[in-house]
């Protein structure tokens, strides 16, 4: 099959590579020319995909990258994997989705299957994407197959890949769903069909809201444990001996990344628009937002005030072993420490530059180190006897 994957980021590139390795001819379209030329020269901008994966597919002529939406013409499948962040008012920002769907629509051939993988609020595929496709293509609804299949990429997860992570699929019509199931079955072991687009859209938001709520809950439990002088990580491993009805979540400086802090807001936004409650999501969001401030207060208490104190924040990526800094809790932590008068620098083995600043070397000259997301292999020994606050649990 001829496959087009729009958006060659954390979601789109692994999908394009998996589809090409399954024997399809794949074009990865991205509106970022730098990313396209990087990919075309065989360099992967995503940690989970090796350069050799990209370069060998290019040499086999089964994968190519382009900025040209004209290549959508005659595609069997067009999968859209562009960002769906929040706008300045914390409402869903569908500008990239709109732009990409409009670009696809201009070149859409009758019979192509369009699949939305980007996270969206329930109703978006039917009420937002379909009208754009119809208006931009001039095609009749009977000539368009449209499906939604939420991505479940977990960057840096070595155990769960595209192949062994079950995939949800829903179609505007039975035919669209059948075709989407057939496409994904070529490289995903288990594909589950949902009865409507809205079920699949909401399932994705439930998954990430579940994580937001439970991580915020364990962060509040961690604060209780701090006050009680109880080791939260020992509590979690003790509770985890229960073989049913418990699932461990672990404390942190707060949830980062472009999904878990954002996707639940898509669900609460929809809930508010239809007059339904979303209290759990709202509370979890509040607890998450307050978490960095908790460590600013802890640091201040430990050092007897932060004025002029030299603090190094270790690991500013949103989670260990990735270089992605989007929505990282380190941002509010660094800003909070600075607002309290501390002289703050940061170290990250995978993030060389962040917010116009460079990673500094770890030395024993700091008054305090705060561990946020320490990557495997980061050597903390150079800190010597510098006091350490570990946001994953406990003051060392
Ligand atoms: N990465 C994850 O772990 C993850 C998890 C859950 C949900 N998601 C969702 O997946 C979707 C994609 O996220 P991502 O992490 O891959 O984003 P990303 O930023 O890594 O990649 C998106 C790519 O799309 C390109 N792009 C933007 N607008 C475009 C346009 N109009 N035309 C063509 N290309 C365009 C960008 O240049 C970029 O390369 C989002 O909806 C996100 O919420 C991602």
């Amino acid at each position: 099959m001829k496959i087009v994957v729009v958006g060659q980021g954390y979601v789109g590139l692994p999908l394009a590579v998996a589809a090409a390795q399954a024997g399809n001819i794949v074009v990865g379209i991205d509106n970022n020319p730098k990313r396209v030329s990087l990919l075309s020269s065989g360099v992967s901008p995503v940690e989970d995909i090796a350069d050799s994966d990209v370069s060998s597919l290019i040499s086999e002529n089964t994968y190519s990258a382009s900025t040209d939406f004209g290549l959508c013409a005659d595609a069997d499948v067009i999968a859209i994997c562009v960002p769906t962040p929040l706008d300045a008012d914390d409402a869903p920002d569908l500008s990239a989705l709109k732009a990409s769907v409009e670009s696809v629509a201009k070149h859409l051939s009758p019979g192509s299957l369009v699949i939305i993988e980007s996270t969206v609020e329930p109703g978006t595929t039917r009420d937002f994407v379909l009208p754009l496709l119809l208006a931009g293509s001039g095609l009749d609804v009977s000539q368009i197959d449209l499906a939604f299949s939420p991505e479940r990429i977990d960057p840096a997860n070595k155990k769960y890949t595209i192949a062994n992570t079950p995939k949800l699929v829903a179609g505007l019509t039975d035919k669209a769903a059948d075709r989407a199931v057939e496409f994904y079955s070529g490289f995903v072991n288990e594909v589950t069909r949902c009865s409507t687009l809205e079920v699949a859209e909401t399932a994705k938001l439930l998954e990430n809201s579940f994580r937001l709520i439970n991580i915020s809950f364990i962060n509040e439990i961690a604060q209780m444990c701090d006050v009680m002088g109880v080791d939260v990580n020992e509590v979690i491993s003790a509770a985890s001996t229960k073989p049913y009805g418990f699932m461990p979540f672990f404390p942190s400086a707060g949830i980062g990344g472009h999904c878990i802090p954002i996707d639940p807001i898509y669900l609460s936004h929809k809930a508010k628009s239809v007059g339904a409650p979303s209290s759990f999501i709202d509370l979890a969001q509040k607890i998450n937002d307050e978490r960095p401030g908790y460590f600013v207060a802890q640091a201040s208490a430990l050092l007897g005030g932060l004025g002029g104190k030299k603090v190094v924040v270790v690991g500013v990526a949103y989670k260990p072993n990735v270089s992605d800094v989007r929505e990282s809790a380190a941002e509010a932590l660094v800003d909070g420490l600075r607002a309290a008068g501390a002289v703050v620098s940061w170290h990250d083995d995978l993030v060389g530059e962040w917010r116009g600043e460079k990673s500094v070397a770890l030395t024993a000259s700091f008054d305090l180190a705060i561990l946020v997301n320490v990557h495997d292999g980061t050597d903390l020994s150079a800190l010597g006897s510098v006091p350490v606050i570990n946001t994953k649990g406990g003051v060392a």
Side-chain angles (χ1 to χ4, degrees):
M1 289 196 281
K2 179 184 168 189
I3 312 297
V4 170
V5 180
V6 179
Q8 291 294 277
Y10 282 91
V11 171
L13 183 59
L15 175 66
V17 166
Q21 287 171 341
N24 299 294
I25 305 296
V26 180
V27 179
I29 295 183
D30 202 290
N31 69 349
N32 178 346
K34 273 193 195 150
R35 179 158 288 220
V36 167
S37 60
L38 210 61
L39 284 164
S40 300
S41 63
V43 177
S44 164
V46 170
E47 290 94 352
D48 289 340
I49 300 295
D51 293 351
S52 56
D53 288 329
V54 177
S55 54
S56 63
L57 292 170
I58 289 174
S59 60
E60 289 160 16
N61 291 323
T62 48
Y63 172 79
S64 57
S66 176
T67 55
D68 180 7
F69 278 87
L71 295 168
C72 291
D74 298 326
D76 296 292
V77 179
I78 301 165
I80 298 184
C81 310
V82 297
T84 44
L86 298 172
D87 66 16
D89 301 321
D90 265 3
D93 175 358
L94 299 183
S95 54
L97 183 65
K98 180 170 186 282
S100 58
V101 170
E102 283 173 345
S103 303
V104 166
K106 276 188 205 151
H107 305 281
L108 195 62
S109 308
S112 292
L113 168 66
V114 178
I115 306 175
I116 305 302
E117 284 227 2
S118 297
T119 305
V120 292
E121 67 177 42
T124 305
T125 308
R126 191 186 303 276
D127 301 332
F128 181 81
V129 174
L130 180 62
L132 289 175
L133 285 177
L134 291 171
S137 66
L139 296 175
D140 184 73
V141 70
S142 65
Q143 296 173 292
I144 294 180
D145 280 330
L146 177 62
F148 177 77
S149 179
E151 62 72 38
R152 282 174 165 170
I153 296 282
D154 184 16
N157 191 330
K158 303 275 177 246
K159 184 173 175 195
Y160 287 107
T161 60
I162 286 199
N164 65 1
T165 304
K167 195 103 174 81
L168 298 180
V169 161
L172 179 68
T173 59
D174 284 344
K175 180 167 153 263
D178 289 344
R179 291 183 65 194
V181 169
E182 187 199 345
F183 166 60
Y184 288 114
S185 298
F187 51 93
V188 180
N189 301 344
E190 197 181 324
V191 180
T192 298
R193 194 177 161 134
C194 301
S195 64
T196 65
L197 295 166
E198 289 73 16
V199 169
E201 290 168 330
T202 311
K204 170 71 192 179
L205 299 179
L206 169 62
E207 291 164 21
N208 281 358
S209 299
F210 173 85
R211 285 184 62 74
L212 172 75
I213 289 165
N214 280 288
I215 295 170
S216 294
F217 176 57
I218 206 67
N219 278 338
E220 190 171 65
I221 293 282
Q223 286 179 217
M224 284 181 208
C225 285
D226 280 351
V227 177
M228 296 186 299
V230 173
D231 179 340
V232 67
N233 286 313
E234 193 179 347
V235 170
I236 295 165
S237 62
S240 299
T241 60
K242 187 177 179 184
Y244 56 89
F246 183 79
M247 181 183 286
F249 288 85
F250 301 96
S252 61
I255 301 156
H258 29 119
C259 315
I260 300 173
I262 291 174
D263 298 354
I265 299 180
Y266 271 64
L267 189 53
S268 61
H269 182 266
K270 179 72 180 186
K272 287 177 181 95
S273 75
V274 295
S278 61
S279 324
F280 271 101
I281 293 172
D282 299 343
L283 179 60
Q285 203 71 41
K286 177 175 172 292
I287 291 172
N288 188 50
D289 290 347
E290 289 170 355
R291 186 69 173 157
Y294 173 74
F295 290 106
V296 175
Q298 205 179 58
S300 180
L302 194 74
L303 297 179
L306 286 168
K309 297 287 167 49
K310 288 189 287 175
V311 180
V312 63
V313 170
V314 184
V316 299
Y318 84 88
K319 72 174 187 176
N321 304 324
V322 300
S323 60
D324 191 345
V325 289
R326 288 179 290 181
E327 311 291 325
S328 173
E331 190 165 336
L333 178 64
V334 167
D335 290 348
L337 291 165
R338 284 181 178 152
V343 179
V344 186
S345 38
W346 56 271
H347 172 87
D348 194 302
D349 286 340
L350 301 180
V351 182
E353 199 167 329
W354 177 54
R355 305 202 294 173
E357 299 170 17
K358 288 199 183 333
S359 174
V360 300
L362 294 178
T363 67
S365 65
F366 295 102
D367 296 308
L368 177 69
I370 303 182
L371 311 185
V372 177
N373 286 308
V374 180
H375 306 305
D376 293 348
T378 295
D379 183 8
L380 298 175
S381 63
L383 288 170
S385 55
V386 171
V388 171
I389 290 177
N390 186 356
T391 62
K392 307 284 182 189
V395 178

